[in-house]
């Protein structure tokens, strides 16, 4: 067991068995727990919970691990098992049914998460090296929440799977506890991100983890449903239009998560999508988007498109333009195809000359801008809630965003008569104008003043 530590911090006892690799795993787990504010106990009596890092290499090592678990259960009672024997959860639970949680080798996040679930850390502003919500490079009031690493897709223009590997999903409880810490730290908007958010949990077969005493599946819908219970704006990025995405649209219609989907469609022509190695049934996708909008008329769709992909013909490009108009893609990012070293698309025939790429880029930007202008004009006259990013007191102006605007990539809501408003405030405003990308608004109380000023002018 590790050194004792006085104070009110929850204390962990550790029994570390096995080889040097297991010892390094133990060190890594303890380092993370220490950073979260846990203290450690050398003996069973002083520990609030005991971690047993097991070995399962030989039968004798298995037995030693089972004995160690038994001793910890007898001496302390609150035991979490991790390490190599963790792959034999059935054996452990059969021998010692009272263990609180079992995680396998190298599952650092899962074991820390299990400790958090059964013995929550107590934040202490005087001794913690980092605030409970972690260190963030974003403003105080919004944050990104990464739910997985890597990607199982193999888009021909992309080398991310080569660099970051296949999909590795975080345990859902770990994601949700992180969201809670962010909210407790003052975050009002969370952007859920990954390479492919809708594929969340596929790699772990939707494994459950304990969150607030409940078993929650690492599955797109379940994660979103849990986020919907939290008091925060939840915005979904990098979602693919798979059928199971349908299930979160009602949550958007009910106002439980933001009516916003960032879906990187990249193109609409079946032949270009095939060459990109992406799902190619854009007609079905169009139907799906229409159904989504029937359920949630406020839904904003943001997307990225690539022009000048090898083999893209004029017909392909025209089809893309029509599709963006029909789908009413509210926000579009447009990129000219560029070969990326190592990407399979570099070997494709039908390279599109630069001047054609430039023309298509300009045309698509214009079409996307027209669609955006039309979509934003529909919002004039509405009363909406905005989140303030910045203020310009000298101009009496606040720069804010609505539920339809993600930070950095979308437009803004320019709020005049914004005296007394601070960054991070949520303010109810009336939309009084729009242009290609932005909305213009005044706080709800200011409309009467404006009416009076207009009447007397
Ligand atoms: S473009 Fe996105 S979905 Fe496709 S392989 Fe790259 S990371 Fe995965």
């Amino acid at each position: 067991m590790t050194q004792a530590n006085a104070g009110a911090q929850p204390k962990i006892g550790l029994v570390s068995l096995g080889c040097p690799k297991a010892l390094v795993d133990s060190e890594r787990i303890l380092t993370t727990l220490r950073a979260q504010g846990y203290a450690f106990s050398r003996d069973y009596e002083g520990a609030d919970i005991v971690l047993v890092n097991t070995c399962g290499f030989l039968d004798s090592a298995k037995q030693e691990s089972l004995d160690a678990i038994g001793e910890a259960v007898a001496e302390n009672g609150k035991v979490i098992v991790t390490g190599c024997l963790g792959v034999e959860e059935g054996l452990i639970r059969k021998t010692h049914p009272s263990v609180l949680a079992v995680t396998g080798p190298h599952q650092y996040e899962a074991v820390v998460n299990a400790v958090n679930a059964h013995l929550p850390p107590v934040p202490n502003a005087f001794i913690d090296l980092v605030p409970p919500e972690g260190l963030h490079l974003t403003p105080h009031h919004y944050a990104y929440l990464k739910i997985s690493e890597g990607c199982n897709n193999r888009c021909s223009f992309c080398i991310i799977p080569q660099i970051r590997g296949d999909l590795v999903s975080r345990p859902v409880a770990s994601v949700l506890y992180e969201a809670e810490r962010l909210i407790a730290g003052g975050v009002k908007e969370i952007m859920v991100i990954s390479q492919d958010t809708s594929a969340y949990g596929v790699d772990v077969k939707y494994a459950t983890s304990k969150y607030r005493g409940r078993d929650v599946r690492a599955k797109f819908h379940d994660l979103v449903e849990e986020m919907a219970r939290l008091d925060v704006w939840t915005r979904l990025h990098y979602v693919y239009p798979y059928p199971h995405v349908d299930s979160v649209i009602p949550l958007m219609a009910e106002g439980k998560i933001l009516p916003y989907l960032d879906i990187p469609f990249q193109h609409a022509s079946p032949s270009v999508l095939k060459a990109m190695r992406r799902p190619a049934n854009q007609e079905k996708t169009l139907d799906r988007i229409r159904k989504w909008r029937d359920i949630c008329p406020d839904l904003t769709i943001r997307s990225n498109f690539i022009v000048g992909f090898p083999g893209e013909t004029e017909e392909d490009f025209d089809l893309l333009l029509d599709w963006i108009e029909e789908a009413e893609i509210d926000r579009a990012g447009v990129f000219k195809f560029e070969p990326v070293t190592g990407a399979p698309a570099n070997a494709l025939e039908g390279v599109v000359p630069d001047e054609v790429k430039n023309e298509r880029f300009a045309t698509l930007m214009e079409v996307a801008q027209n669609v955006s202008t039309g979509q934003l004009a529909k919002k004039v006259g509405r009363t909406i809630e905005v989140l303030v990013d910045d203020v310009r007191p000298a101009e009496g102006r606040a720069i804010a965003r609505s539920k339809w605007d993600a930070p950095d990539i979308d437009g803004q809501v320019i709020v005049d008569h914004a005296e007394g408003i601070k960054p991070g405030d949520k303010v109810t405003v009336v939309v009084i104008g729009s242009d290609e990308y932005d909305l213009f608004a005044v706080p709800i109380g200011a409309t009467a003043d404006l009416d009076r000023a207009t009447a007397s002018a």
Side-chain angles (χ1 to χ4, degrees):
M1 295 238 177
T2 53
Q3 99 194 33
N5 189 345
Q9 298 303 96
K11 288 185 185 172
I12 311 285
L14 175 76
V15 179
S16 190
L17 306 168
C19 63
K21 279 175 275 176
L23 187 70
V24 171
D25 289 350
S26 292
E27 289 171 349
R28 202 165 158 185
I29 292 164
L30 290 189
T31 303
T32 306
L33 291 171
R34 185 70 194 94
Q36 290 186 354
Y38 289 93
F40 303 116
S41 170
R42 281 181 184 281
D43 48 42
Y44 291 121
E45 303 84 66
D48 297 303
I49 223 164
V50 177
L51 277 180
V52 183
N53 190 3
T54 57
C55 177
F57 185 53
L58 299 170
D59 283 352
S60 56
K62 278 186 195 176
Q63 192 51 54
E64 188 191 358
S65 293
L66 289 171
D67 291 346
I69 296 166
E71 183 181 300
V73 167
E75 296 287 334
N76 181 281
K78 288 190 159 184
V79 176
I80 291 174
V81 179
T82 188
C84 293
L85 191 62
V87 295
E88 296 196 42
E89 183 172 354
L91 171 68
I92 294 169
R93 290 206 180 274
K94 194 169 158 221
T95 319
H96 302 295
S98 67
V99 295
L100 299 174
V102 179
T103 66
H106 313 305
Q107 293 181 345
Y108 312 108
E109 202 168 16
V111 67
V112 169
N113 180 47
V115 173
N116 292 166
H118 293 282
L119 184 66
V122 179
N124 184 328
F126 296 104
I127 60 170
D128 289 352
L129 295 176
V130 290
E133 73 276 18
L135 298 175
H136 291 274
L137 301 172
T138 46
H140 196 59
H141 56 280
Y142 68 79
Y144 295 92
L145 180 61
K146 197 177 201 180
I147 60 171
S148 61
E149 285 285 355
C151 183
N152 284 350
N153 301 325
R154 293 295 181 265
C155 304
S156 61
F157 54 83
C158 177
I159 56 165
I160 282 177
Q162 291 170 42
I163 299 170
R164 302 204 173 165
D166 284 341
L167 180 73
V168 179
S169 299
R170 294 177 58 192
V172 68
S174 168
V175 172
L176 292 168
Y177 283 122
E178 183 179 342
E180 285 192 7
R181 287 194 296 275
L182 291 170
I183 296 165
V187 164
K188 294 180 177 165
E189 176 181 10
I190 289 179
M191 267 67 64
V192 174
I193 56 165
S194 68
Q195 302 298 337
D196 181 355
T197 295
S198 34
Y200 175 62
V202 167
D203 55 312
V204 292
K205 300 189 174 57
Y206 311 123
T208 59
S209 47
K210 275 264 187 270
Y211 170 63
R212 301 221 153 266
R214 288 179 286 120
D215 283 326
V216 180
R217 287 183 303 176
K219 199 166 188 189
F220 174 70
H221 173 84
D222 302 46
L223 170 69
V224 175
E225 200 169 44
E226 293 295 335
M227 291 294 298
R229 295 174 196 239
L230 302 177
D231 182 22
V232 72
W233 278 10
T234 298
R235 195 181 290 286
L236 302 177
H237 288 270
Y238 315 118
V239 174
Y240 286 73
Y242 300 133
H244 67 274
V245 175
D246 296 358
S247 70
V248 301
I249 306 297
L251 293 172
M252 295 182 178
E254 290 165 29
K256 292 185 173 162
I257 60 165
L258 294 179
Y260 183 100
L261 281 175
D262 177 0
I263 307 176
F265 287 110
Q266 309 299 5
H267 215 283
S269 156
S271 59
V272 177
L273 287 168
K274 192 162 175 234
M276 287 178 166
R277 296 189 199 156
R278 293 177 67 84
N281 199 335
Q282 294 311 91
E283 265 314 304
K284 265 199 179 158
T285 304
L286 212 47
D287 285 346
R288 172 150 282 124
I289 291 173
R290 286 192 192 111
K291 281 188 196 129
W292 289 347
R293 291 203 199 274
D294 284 346
I295 298 166
C296 180
D298 249 357
L299 177 66
T300 279
I301 298 180
R302 174 178 179 87
S303 191
N304 285 335
F305 298 97
I306 297 174
V307 295
F309 193 78
E312 183 192 56
T313 62
E314 277 302 321
E315 294 74 51
D316 292 324
F317 182 63
D318 288 344
L319 196 152
L320 173 59
L321 297 179
D322 291 345
W323 191 87
I324 287 175
E325 285 179 333
E326 274 196 70
E328 296 185 309
I329 299 299
D330 302 80
R331 315 282 197 180
V334 187
F335 300 90
K336 291 176 247 182
F337 172 76
E338 274 178 38
V340 176
T341 306
N346 303 351
L348 293 173
E349 292 181 354
V351 170
V352 177
D354 280 350
E355 59 272 23
V356 177
K357 268 190 215 168
N358 292 339
E359 268 171 36
R360 290 180 186 171
F361 177 83
T363 308
L364 184 42
M365 284 295 287
E366 203 181 316
V367 167
Q369 192 172 305
N370 286 340
V371 174
S372 170
T373 305
Q375 294 292 86
L376 289 174
K378 294 178 198 167
K379 305 185 192 315
V380 175
R382 290 186 57 178
T383 299
I384 59 171
E385 191 174 44
V386 295
L387 182 56
V388 177
D389 283 335
D390 198 9
V391 288
R392 296 178 190 159
E395 301 164 47
R397 179 168 273 191
I399 310 300
R401 286 176 297 101
S402 72
K403 56 191 174 183
W404 305 301
D405 314 306
D408 296 329
I409 50 175
D410 292 332
Q412 296 167 322
V413 183
I414 316 297
V415 183
D416 281 327
H417 300 275
E419 290 77 16
I421 291 174
K422 305 181 298 304
D425 282 353
K426 274 190 183 162
V427 183
T428 305
V429 299
V430 178
V431 181
I432 56 170
S434 65
D435 64 11
E436 304 93 323
Y437 302 115
D438 297 327
L439 293 176
F440 300 89
V442 291
I444 190 157
T447 47
D449 297 344
L450 282 182
D451 289 345
R452 272 196 292 280
T454 314
S456 62

